[in-house]
Amino acid sequence: MGFALFLISLFTVVELNCENLFDTQNDSLKQDEEFLPTSDYHWTPYRYWCKLNRTGQEILSCGDLETLKIQSLPDLVALIEVENDTVLRDLTKRSLLRQAGYEYVMTDSPDARGIDVALLYSPFSFRLLNHHSISIPYFEGYKPTRDILYCAGEVITGDTLHVFVVHAPSRSEGVSATQPYRLLVAERLCQAVDSVRRESPCARVLVMGDFNDYSVDKSLQLLRDHNLVEVSDSAKGTHGAMATYRWHGEWGSLDHIFCSGLLTQHLLLCQINDAPFLLEPDKKYGGVKPRRNYLGPRYLDGYSDHLPLVSVFDLEH
C-alpha cells in the first residue's frame, strides 16, 4: 500500500524542444515554406507522421525511469517548436500518444515562422483551471518572438501548480546582438511570476523551456534573482549525454527547468532522457549526440536535436 501511494503522489514533468514540428500545409500568414512537400526539405505527409510517432515515442519513454525503477506516463509535457493546433491534435489523438489521454493548450504567437509552445497535460493528475498567453513587448530591430504560455492547474494534493512554458529568441543572429531580447523575455517572465506570488506568496511555480541561453547567462541569472531555483542545472543522462544539446562536439543545455523554493522541496530527481534510441554516434568528435531529424535540408529520419529534460516530484512529501 505504501508503494502504491508513493506512485500516486509522483508527478513527472518533461520539457522537450521537438525540433520543428510542422504540418505539411502552407500557412499564407507565416513563413513556413521550408516545411512543405515541394520545399528543399521535402516535408511530405509520410515524414510528418513519422515525426509525430517518434515524438510520441520520445514522450512515452520519459516515463520509464531507471533511476526510480518505475514506469508511468509523464503528467505534464512542455513542447517547444510546434506549429499549430493541427499538429497538437494529431500528436495527442492520432499518433502513438493517442491512448495516453493527453489534453493540451498552446499559444498563438506572432513569430514569423509560426512557431509556438504547448503544454500537454494528463487531466487525471492536472485539472486545468485557467491558461493564457503572455505577449512579449515589441523590441525595436527584432522580429516578433514567441509568447510565454501560462497555465494553472490543481494537482492531487489540492494545491495549485502555476506553469510557465518559454521559448526565448534564438542566437542565430549573434549571441551578443540577440541577448537583450532574451533578457526582455526573462524580465516579462519574472513580472508574471511576481504577479502570481502577489496573489499567493507560497505559490508552487514551475518554469520550463528553451531559453536559448546557458545557466551562466544574464537572462537565467535574473530568474535566480527572483527566487527561482534551477533544478536542471546539473542534469545529465544515463547513456552519455552531458546536457540536452550538442554542437561541434560540445555539450550544453539551452533547455532549463526552474521551480519555486517550496516546489523544489518535493523534487526527487531531474535528469536528461538519453535513451539509446534518441542517440547516435558522433563520428566527427567522438561519443554520442542527439539523433536529430534534419541537418539543414538533409533528412536524417531522427527525433530531435534536443534531448528531453525530466523532473519527478513527490507531491505528498
Side-chain angles (χ1 to χ4, degrees):
M1 178 65 72
F3 183 68
L5 291 174
F6 172 69
L7 288 178
I8 291 173
S9 67
L10 289 186
F11 193 83
T12 302
V13 303
V14 173
E15 184 276 342
L16 171 62
N17 182 322
C18 52
E19 190 196 341
N20 293 318
L21 183 51
F22 280 79
D23 65 18
T24 61
Q25 303 300 311
N26 183 34
D27 183 342
S28 61
L29 300 179
K30 299 294 183 179
Q31 298 171 12
D32 64 349
E33 293 82 4
E34 280 184 338
F35 286 91
L36 296 175
T38 55
S39 74
D40 290 342
Y41 283 66
H42 301 293
W43 188 238
T44 61
Y46 173 80
R47 290 182 176 183
Y48 169 65
W49 283 102
C50 284
K51 173 76 171 179
L52 286 171
N53 281 319
R54 289 195 163 174
T55 301
Q57 180 189 7
E58 188 168 7
I59 291 169
L60 292 172
S61 73
C62 290
D64 187 4
L65 298 168
E66 296 178 9
T67 308
L68 296 178
K69 295 182 171 58
I70 61 170
Q71 290 182 325
S72 64
L73 285 172
D75 298 282
L76 297 179
V77 183
L79 289 180
I80 314 301
E81 291 194 9
V82 293
E83 185 184 16
N84 52 33
D85 184 79
T86 297
V87 300
L88 267 296
R89 186 176 65 250
D90 286 343
L91 178 65
T92 56
K93 309 304 180 187
R94 303 178 68 190
S95 79
L96 287 177
L97 276 186
R98 63 187 178 275
Q99 298 298 324
Y102 284 119
E103 301 295 336
Y104 65 88
V105 289
M106 68 179 303
T107 55
D108 185 11
S109 302
D111 178 83
R113 294 181 62 219
I115 287 177
D116 281 292
V117 300
L119 183 72
L120 309 188
Y121 65 93
S122 170
F124 304 105
S125 54
F126 183 84
R127 185 171 70 87
L128 186 68
L129 300 174
N130 60 75
H131 68 93
H132 63 263
S133 295
I134 301 169
S135 60
I136 308 302
Y138 174 71
F139 201 66
E140 189 173 357
Y142 291 88
K143 295 177 290 188
T145 191
R146 279 75 58 171
D147 292 350
I148 298 169
L149 177 62
Y150 166 75
C151 302
E154 183 181 343
V155 296
I156 190 171
T157 59
D159 296 299
T160 298
L161 181 62
H162 303 269
V163 183
F164 296 87
V165 183
V166 180
H167 185 193
S170 77
R171 299 175 157 222
S172 60
E173 297 176 13
V175 176
S176 298
T178 54
Q179 184 183 69
Y181 207 3
R182 287 189 294 279
L183 192 56
L184 178 65
V185 171
E187 290 170 351
R188 187 70 185 91
L189 171 63
C190 289
Q191 291 170 5
V193 171
D194 289 345
S195 178
V196 168
R197 284 171 165 162
R198 280 193 293 272
E199 296 293 324
S200 178
C202 296
R204 300 178 184 224
V205 178
L206 176 65
V207 177
M208 302 184 282
D210 180 351
F211 288 80
N212 272 307
D213 265 338
Y214 299 105
S215 295
V216 297
D217 290 317
K218 292 180 180 179
S219 64
L220 299 188
Q221 182 57 50
L222 183 62
L223 271 62
R224 289 189 287 270
D225 291 343
H226 280 254
N227 298 313
L228 290 169
V229 180
E230 186 182 358
V231 298
S232 59
D233 185 34
S234 58
K236 292 185 173 50
T238 57
H239 295 93
M242 305 304 293
T244 61
Y245 187 76
R246 200 174 198 212
W247 177 249
H248 290 179
E250 297 292 329
W251 286 103
S253 283
L254 301 171
D255 307 276
H256 306 272
I257 297 177
F258 286 81
C259 298
S260 57
L262 184 61
L263 184 59
T264 303
Q265 295 175 19
H266 297 271
L267 181 72
L268 291 180
L269 64 85
C270 183
Q271 66 183 34
I272 295 166
N273 176 11
D274 63 344
F277 70 87
L278 297 175
L279 302 172
E280 64 181 359
D282 191 331
K283 296 178 181 178
K284 184 173 183 179
Y285 297 101
V288 293
K289 62 182 180 180
R291 185 182 167 193
R292 62 190 300 162
N293 204 35
Y294 273 91
L295 182 59
R298 184 156 60 95
Y299 182 58
L300 302 179
D301 193 20
Y303 291 81
S304 174
D305 54 349
H306 291 241
L307 294 169
L309 276 174
V310 183
S311 288
V312 182
F313 301 86
D314 183 359
L315 297 179
E316 292 279 7
H317 300 92

